Amino acid sequence: EIDLTQSPATLSLSPGDRATLSCRASHIVDGYLAWYQQKPSQAPRLLIFETSNRAAGIPARFSGSGSGTDFSLIISSLEPEDFAVYYCQFRSRWPPAITFGQGTRLDIK
Amino acid sequence: DVQLVESGGGLVQPGRSLRLSCAGSGFNFGTTSMSWFRQAPGKGLEWVAFIRTRAYGGNAAYAASVRGTFTISRDDENSVAYLQMNSLQPDDTAIYYCSTGQYDETGYPTRGDHWGQGTLVTVSS
C-alpha cells in the first residue's frame, strides 16, 4: 500500500503569491494522481486529475506536475477564494485502492 | 447537472448497524462507478469503498479498515448506491460522502469528479 506525504502541513501566503504544494509517494506505483480543494463544511472539489489535467471549470492558475514519487500542485497567483485545505489522492491501478495525503492548509498571511 | 444526495446518517450505538443511501441524478447511473469516502471530525479524507458497474461485473473493493464490516451495493433501477455498515465503532464517526468519477480499464474510479454534501454518522453510547 502506498503512503502519500504532503508538505508543508500549513502554508501561509498572501493574495497574489505563488503557492507550491508537494505530495510525495512512499514508492513508485502504477496509478493516477489527483488533487482536491476543500473549504470548511464543504465537500472536496476535484482540481487536477492524472497528475496534470485540470478538471472542468477549474481556473488556469491551478496546475499540476510530477512523476515517479514527487508531485506538485501550483497556484500561480493566489485569489482570496483559494485559501482552503488541499489533498492529493492516488488510485493504484491494481489492486485498486485509493490513498489520500494528510492535507496542506493554505492560510492567508 | 450531476447531483448526489446522501442520507441515512445519525447517532448509533457501538456494535449496531446503519445503512447509508446515495441518490444520483443528472447522469446515467447504470454506467457510472460509485465510491464512498469519509472524513472524521477535524481529520483528512479516507477512501471507504467503490463498486463497478454491472458491465464490469458489479464487483467492489474496500479499504482495509472496513473490509469485512462494510458492504457497498447499487440499485441501478432506482439510481441509488448503498453503504451497509455493521459492527460500528466510535472511530467510524465521520461525514460519509458518495462520489462518482471516471473509471479506468479495471472499471474502478480513478478520482472523484462529483461529490454529495455528505451525511454525518456518529457512533457513541
Side-chain angles (χ1 to χ4, degrees), chain B residues 34-81:
Chain B
M34 301 296 297
S35 305
W36 285 96
F37 298 91
R38 67 183 180 182
Q39 187 169 34
K43 302 297 184 182
L45 297 166
E46 180 185 13
W47 167 66
V48 174
F50 41 38
I51 187 167
R52 302 196 277 198
T53 66
R54 193 184 309 174
Y56 280 85
N59 309 86
Y62 298 89
S65 58
V66 305
R67 196 173 297 134
T69 57
F70 289 13
T71 302
I72 187 173
S73 61
R74 58 188 302 149
D75 176 355
D76 291 345
E77 279 194 37
N78 293 296
S79 301
V80 182

